[in-house]
Structures are given as structure tokens and as C-alpha cells.
Amino acid sequence: SLTTMSFLPEGQAYVEVKANATKACAIATELLTNTSCSTLNLRFHIGDKGAKAIGESLKQNTRLRKIFAQCQKFTIKGFKTLCEGLAENDGLMLFEVGGNTLGEEGGAMLADAISKNSSLVSLGASLCEMNDVAFVQLSEALKVNTTVQCLNLGNNS
């Protein structure tokens, strides 16, 4: 059963998992107590339910340094909670969400999150259908955030 299966083995820093929404929720629960996972590479489609769960866990987990969540089929509904988690997290250094349909609204959420985050060094949001309005908001947020050094916003609208 998913409640007894561990997706984040203790002592393992890098974890790559093919996760659907159900597995992502289980992973999010494990992130609350796991002290060794520093890199989480999600594969498959976690959707909004999984994105919300991972976002909630980011509010409490300070050990995770990198999260790769490209092409996960979440919308701005799930992305909102991911951004809330990013805003509150003081350990995450890499946040990769490229290939998710976020649009202008998602760009605004991301801008708000990075303006509040003080640990993020690398941000990837290519192929997210963000427009010029989102880019202006992100550029304003980057005036406040002094830690982001690497930014990939390629192939947006």
C-alpha cells in the first residue's frame, strides 16, 4: 500500500520517482520528516492534487534543495500552492517547472513567490506560455530577490 511504501529512502540525497497524484501526495507526507532527500526529480504527471501536496510540504521541509517538476500537467490551481511553498521555503535553491501551462497568472504567482524567497539560485520556467506581462512582473520580483543567478524562461509566448 502507498501508506507503508517509502518513496524517499532515508539516507538517499537524490530521488527520482515516476509519480502520479497519489504518489506525489505520499511523497509530500514523507518530505515532512525526511532529513536526507535534497533533490527531488518528479517524473510523470502529478497534476494539481500532487502539486498542492508538494507545495504544502515545501512550507515545512527545509532540507530539499532542488525540485524538478517539468511537464507535470498541473495548472495554476496546483501551481498556486507550489508557489506558496516556494515563498515560505528558505532552503530550496533550484525550482524547475518548465513545460507546465502557467500563463500570465502563473507568472504573477511565480513573481510573488520569488520576491519573498531568499534562497533560490536557479529558476526554470521555459515553455510555460507566459507573456510579456508575466515577464515584467518577474523582472520586478528579481529586483527584490538578490539570490537568483540562473534563469531559464525560454520558449514562452
Side-chain angles (χ1 to χ4, degrees), residues 35-153:
T35 58
S36 57
C37 181
S38 60
T39 301
L40 180 60
N41 191 351
L42 297 167
R43 297 285 180 213
F44 201 54
H45 305 129
I46 64 171
D48 286 334
K49 183 179 177 183
K52 286 178 182 179
I54 297 290
E56 286 297 327
S57 69
L58 286 178
K59 294 177 183 179
Q60 296 179 49
N61 179 300
T62 57
R63 176 70 175 110
L64 197 61
R65 297 292 178 257
K66 300 175 185 176
I67 186 163
F68 295 91
Q70 303 102 312
C71 304
Q72 292 299 310
K73 293 197 175 184
F74 52 75
T75 67
I76 57 169
K77 291 177 188 175
F79 190 59
K80 179 180 187 290
T81 311
L82 265 179
C83 285
E84 290 168 359
L86 174 62
E88 293 182 31
N89 187 291
D90 62 359
L92 203 62
M93 298 174 73
L94 181 142
F95 189 65
E96 175 61 63
V97 292
N100 293 290
T101 305
L102 305 177
E104 184 176 316
E105 190 174 355
M109 291 175 188
L110 188 56
D112 183 62
I114 64 172
S115 70
K116 296 174 181 170
N117 180 287
S118 61
S119 63
L120 196 66
V121 176
S122 181
L123 173 65
S126 61
L127 296 164
C128 289
E129 298 184 18
M130 290 188 282
N131 61 16
D132 291 344
V133 174
F135 290 143
V136 169
Q137 292 170 318
L138 286 166
S139 69
E140 291 300 315
L142 289 168
K143 290 177 184 176
V144 176
N145 179 306
T146 58
T147 60
V148 172
Q149 299 172 15
C150 181
L151 182 65
N152 181 0
L153 299 174

